[in-house]
Amino acid sequence: MEGLYSLLPAPAIVTQESDPAAYKVLTSFWAAQLNLSPKAIVSPPDVKTLAKTIQYLYSHTELDFAFRGRGYSSLPTKDVLVSLHNLDEFTYDPDKQTITVGAGQSWMTVYEALERLAPNYTVVGARTPSVSVGGTVVTAGFSWLSGKFGCISDPQNMIDCEVVKYDGSVVWASTEPALLWAIRGGGGGYGAITKIIFQLHPISRSIYYGTVIAPMSALTEVTHRISEFSTSTTVDPGVSAFMFIQREKFRAMHESNESKGDGDVLVFQLFDLNGETHGRQAFSWALELPGAKDFTREGSMLDVIKIQDRVSDLIGTSRQNWATIIVPEFSVSQIQHSAQWFKDLGTHGNSIAQNTYMIYELFCTKDSPTPAQLSWPGPRGCKHMLVIGLGCDLNAADEVIQRAQELAQSAPSYLMGDDPRITPTPNAIEEWSDLSKIYGDNYKDLLKLRLKYDPKRRFKGSIKITQS
Ligand SMILES: Cc1cc2nc3c(=O)[nH]c(=O)nc-3n(C[C@H](O)[C@H](O)[C@H](O)COP(=O)(O)OP(=O)(O)OC[C@H]3O[C@@H](n4cnc5c(N)ncnc54)[C@H](O)[C@@H]3O)c2cc1C
């Protein structure tokens, strides 16, 4: 550990003793159990210092270390957490309509800068504004715009990125095409991404978006409407929506306080690039539900992503296990079955019921036009996701923790069946996830590239390479 003090300025090293408040923030993870109380968090102020830090940690120590974007699906570490949040540059090239952004910043910062510098253009960035740019790139990345433009790391969106490799060398990934391929959704573990070049797209400033809240009594009708919507072949690619049964704890997942005290309600988040008139028609099935409260309006992409700007309040407040899958459609029976399962979670105890969320995400992804250029080969004919976070209290008993994990493992096939097109997503991987299902034929090539870019097996990534 002492060696780190000679490489980094003192404020860039945070310990529990040196700054308890900063330590708490930097060791907060969405899944609270991933905080193994590392000995130190280092936040290199620039690429040169990051390169020296990585080279030192990788080749001159036995310390356990990991990279942190914003902690929404970080990998745990015992010794040193390398937080990349100081990598926050932003440059705009109006001739090429590209931006170059530091990988450690949140998507909120990027959208705010675009609003100032290029308000009629946008970037394909995360829906949740508090997640980091680098973290979404290595996990493919899903945006409100993905139904139209694809994933964040697809070549039409992410052009190139700069990487610090294990030996401290710094390269543009395009100079090593296999590295760029692996970074596009390959789960991390190939080096630290420092900055990324993104293509901008022209965008309307009158996007239709916002929340609709309906009473639980509308669930039967909603089930049929969502199923019809999910199988429609005429939905415009600029249209996307979420629906979830709100649990009180997760009220910060949407913008409206109007549902406070209403208990369980149905929440819709609507999005239509084509503006209000088109959006009201596309979503008439939700807007006209009996008892629906309508909080939708028009605004810019920055306004849209702010719908979820309170999500960060929930970080580290529960133990969490992913059970998220990409699905081709939501049939009536699948929605009925999953909604009933969710409502019945109380049979496993309050701790699980109150800390679990489930979101039907409609038209949130599409096949890539260039799948050969991606390590995550894309959704393969699927446009929707069922996002499930199976949680329990921070201080839950061992048997509750185990039960939550068992439910997370069994939920995908129990709720949605065994259609081979249904796969886990690359941004919600657990140790039990079947990686060959996610990466298909690319899995074996990714294993080789993990070893090439991590010969001593010191980095952490979704794809594990263990000593053999
Ligand atoms: C509430 C919630 C909302 C979410 N919203 C979205 C969303 O809108 N869109 C979406 O696509 N996903 C979303 N996710 C899924 C997923 O957690 C994130 O996409 C992703 O993990 C980014 O989160 P992060 O910035 O916190 O990165 P972390 O979770 O900290 O890191 C994720 C992985 O990337 C690695 N990593 C991070 N930065 C770098 C870097 N610069 N170089 C190399 N490796 C790096 C880490 O080591 C780790 O393995 C969400 C998850 C949650 C829990």
Side-chain angles (χ1 to χ4, degrees):
M1 290 290 283
E2 289 68 36
L4 287 172
Y5 288 87
S6 62
L7 293 176
L8 289 135
I13 304 180
V14 168
T15 63
Q16 173 73 63
E17 294 72 33
S18 74
D19 187 343
Y23 182 86
K24 187 163 182 248
V25 171
L26 291 168
T27 53
S28 289
F29 297 98
W30 181 258
Q33 72 273 19
L34 298 184
N35 179 5
L36 304 185
S37 304
K39 296 186 178 107
I41 298 102
V42 299
S43 311
D46 51 50
V47 175
K48 210 167 144 196
T49 314
L50 173 66
K52 283 194 284 182
T53 305
I54 289 179
Q55 199 242 355
Y56 172 75
L57 286 170
Y58 196 95
S59 299
H60 300 286
T61 74
E62 302 277 300
L63 292 167
D64 187 36
F65 68 95
F67 301 128
R68 181 183 200 271
R70 282 295 190 283
Y72 283 82
S73 54
S74 298
L75 296 159
T77 184
K78 294 195 304 284
D79 295 327
V80 180
L81 194 55
V82 182
S83 174
L84 301 164
H85 68 270
N86 284 329
L87 303 177
D88 60 357
E89 82 163 76
F90 186 99
T91 53
Y92 167 49
D93 182 334
D95 297 326
K96 294 186 181 150
Q97 286 306 343
T98 58
I99 50 172
T100 302
V101 301
Q105 66 197 292
S106 71
W107 278 106
M108 178 64 105
T109 328
V110 175
Y111 278 106
E112 282 173 343
L114 271 176
E115 181 73 8
R116 285 193 305 275
L117 296 169
N120 293 313
Y121 286 85
T122 197
V123 62
V124 177
R127 287 171 299 218
T128 307
S130 46
V131 303
S132 80
V133 176
T136 47
V137 161
V138 300
T139 55
F142 300 92
S143 169
W144 282 113
L145 300 163
S146 289
K148 188 168 173 81
F149 296 116
C151 282
I152 295 172
S153 64
D154 284 2
Q156 65 274 21
N157 301 316
M158 180 189 124
I159 297 170
D160 201 354
C161 61
E162 186 187 72
V163 182
V164 177
K165 295 200 288 186
Y166 69 91
D167 58 359
S169 58
V170 183
V171 296
W172 280 98
S174 56
T175 62
E176 300 183 25
L179 176 60
L180 185 54
W181 179 85
I183 283 171
R184 294 190 199 279
Y190 311 93
I193 303 169
T194 59
K195 60 183 169 194
I196 304 168
I197 305 175
F198 288 105
Q199 186 64 55
L200 298 182
H201 302 279
I203 190 93
S204 156
R205 294 184 59 76
S206 303
I207 298 165
Y208 177 65
Y209 77 102
T211 302
V212 170
I213 296 172
M216 282 302 285
S217 53
L219 184 58
T220 305
E221 183 167 352
V222 166
T223 300
H224 288 88
R225 297 288 164 261
I226 287 192
S227 181
E228 277 165 27
F229 187 59
S230 80
T231 49
S232 167
T233 52
T234 57
V235 173
D236 184 274
V239 167
S240 180
F242 285 10
M243 196 284 276
F244 52 94
I245 300 173
Q246 175 194 274
R247 285 272 151 85
E248 192 56 25
K249 170 157 188 168
F250 294 101
R251 226 160 21 82
M253 279 189 165
H254 68 95
E255 56 177 347
S256 176
N257 269 325
E258 298 293 315
S259 61
K260 202 170 180 177
D262 282 2
D264 290 357
V265 285
L266 301 173
V267 177
F268 300 83
Q269 286 184 359
L270 310 182
F271 178 87
D272 189 343
L273 270 180
N274 309 292
E276 182 155 4
T277 307
H278 189 274
R280 288 199 171 276
Q281 207 171 358
F283 293 117
S284 57
W285 55 267
L287 294 160
E288 289 164 12
L289 288 168
K293 294 183 199 167
D294 177 0
F295 302 97
T296 59
R297 65 260 188 207
E298 283 189 332
S300 66
M301 264 317 280
L302 179 61
D303 296 325
V304 173
I305 67 156
K306 282 183 178 171
I307 301 178
Q308 293 188 21
D309 69 356
R310 293 184 305 138
V311 166
S312 55
D313 295 352
L314 294 167
I315 199 162
T317 60
S318 56
R319 302 176 70 98
Q320 284 290 329
N321 307 281
W322 289 112
T324 295
I325 41 177
I326 297 203
V327 300
E329 63 182 36
F330 291 110
S331 70
V332 169
S333 62
Q334 283 169 331
I335 302 172
Q336 280 169 341
H337 183 41
S338 50
Q340 195 58 49
W341 171 87
F342 185 74
K343 288 195 285 179
D344 290 345
L345 280 173
T347 57
H348 304 286
N350 235 359
S351 178
I352 289 178
Q354 296 311 322
N355 288 288
T356 296
Y357 58 93
M358 178 176 71
I359 311 175
Y360 303 85
E361 300 193 358
L362 294 132
F363 296 100
C364 56
T365 185
K366 71 162 195 170
D367 283 17
S368 167
T370 54
Q373 291 185 42
L374 315 170
S375 52
W376 179 58
R380 291 160 274 180
C382 299
K383 293 181 175 170
H384 319 297
M385 283 185 203
L386 184 65
V387 172
I388 301 178
L390 250 146
C392 59
D393 287 319
L394 296 177
N395 56 0
D398 287 350
E399 58 270 23
V400 177
I401 293 170
Q402 197 184 332
R403 188 73 195 122
Q405 287 182 353
E406 287 164 2
L407 285 166
Q409 287 179 63
S410 62
S413 61
Y414 178 66
L415 301 180
M416 299 301 285
D418 291 321
D419 183 326
R421 292 171 297 172
I422 297 177
T423 60
T425 57
N427 66 348
I429 292 177
E430 292 287 358
E431 60 192 36
W432 52 80
S433 302
D434 183 346
L435 295 169
S436 60
K437 262 192 168 181
I438 301 174
Y439 291 105
D441 293 343
N442 293 346
Y443 181 44
K444 56 183 186 321
D445 293 330
L446 279 167
L447 276 169
K448 284 188 203 142
L449 287 168
R450 280 282 283 117
L451 262 180
K452 176 176 175 183
Y453 287 99
D454 181 10
K456 290 188 182 172
R457 301 171 166 93
R458 303 288 323 278
F459 286 146
K460 293 177 197 284
S462 304
I463 293 181
K464 307 273 179 299
I465 40 171
T466 45
Q467 302 287 347
S468 54

